Amino acid sequence: MRTEKELLIATKAFAAESKWFSWYLLGVTLFLYFATLAICLTELPLALRCGVSILSGLLIVRLFIFYHDFQHQAILTHSRLARAIMGMYGMLVLSPPSVWNRSHDHHHKHNSKDLLSSMGSFPTMTCSQYADASWLERLQYYWSRHPFTIIFGYITVFMIGMCVRAACVNPRMHKDAILALILHVGIGAVLLWLGWDKLVLGLILPLGVACGLGSYLFYAQHNFPGCILNSREDWTHVGAALRSSSYLKMDPVMNWFTGNIGYHHIHHLNAKIPFYRLQEAMSKLPELQKPSSITLAPWDVVACFRSNLWDGSAQRLVSFRDARLARMKLSTS
């Protein structure tokens, strides 16, 4: 087995893109997205357009992976056209580049180390921190990872978290967050002028699907049974990638729509690997083939939503209920 340094060096062989292939994949995905959007804006039967609108949302998720990898400089580097496309995409999906880059870079550098930080991740409290927190701090923490907060990520995570908050905290640094909100309202107004169904099926439902699924994927990738969180003294980049990031097993269709983001432990190990080479890296590097894995099955989704607090003594994430029962048992003993 390789050392951590040797493993990092071994991943570099996969951190090389094929530019024509990246452009081809992006072109196909953009074509499919605009085709679905065009159908949503027609007068075809409502039931048909609803189904196509959901498909449009899944295509927005796939496009997000291109945006994500471009910001990591894994694909289409030094291309002005790609920068223009990705910049516009980030604005349209309420993930402006200045906010995304700052928060996501912080996340990669502090994955599983800076637990209470909400920059680029869902904050994590230890059982003792939660027990000592005020009722308001507990309430804020509880709602920060509540299923409703994640499912309605369109409003909570992206519109408020990525745009409104950034625009209020530092409007000079995040001018694109303000512009994203203005653009969003403008597009919404035009679609509403065309008809309420155009607004819902062309904007609200697709982004609702995309942002809700995206929020859950990001949550589950770092809040799952088997996740190990480290103290700052014990933290290493490789350890955080392999033990604090999940492998989300999905069928080929969902792997396509999510751009292989389920291979998240590999992405955190080397963010320069293009999304279409993550599976190849896992198949050829034995050290990457036994990660903590989850699925999109209902029982795994529930298990992830119950991974609420870090129990240092048990070295695992526990639910609010389990933490409360442990405190009650300790107080009566």
Side-chain angles (χ1 to χ4, degrees), residues 70 79-89:
F70 178 80
S79 169
R80 292 183 179 180
L81 177 58
R83 182 169 298 279
I85 294 172
M86 299 306 167
M88 181 57 67
Y89 172 83

Side-chain angles (χ1 to χ4, degrees), residues 224-241:
F224 59 93
C227 178
I228 300 296
L229 306 183
N230 301 281
S231 64
R232 289 180 173 269
E233 296 76 20
D234 299 329
W235 189 92
T236 65
H237 173 79
V238 175

Side-chain angles (χ1 to χ4, degrees), residues 91 96 163 167-168 171-172 174-183:
M91 306 282 278
C163 292
C168 292
R172 285 190 176 184
H174 302 304
K175 293 178 182 177
D176 52 357
I178 300 172
L179 185 57
L181 290 168
I182 295 172
L183 184 63

Side-chain angles (χ1 to χ4, degrees), residues 23 63 68 159 173 203 304 330:
W23 277 115
L63 285 170
H68 169 268
M159 185 176 290
M173 180 182 292
L203 184 67
C304 288
L330 185 64

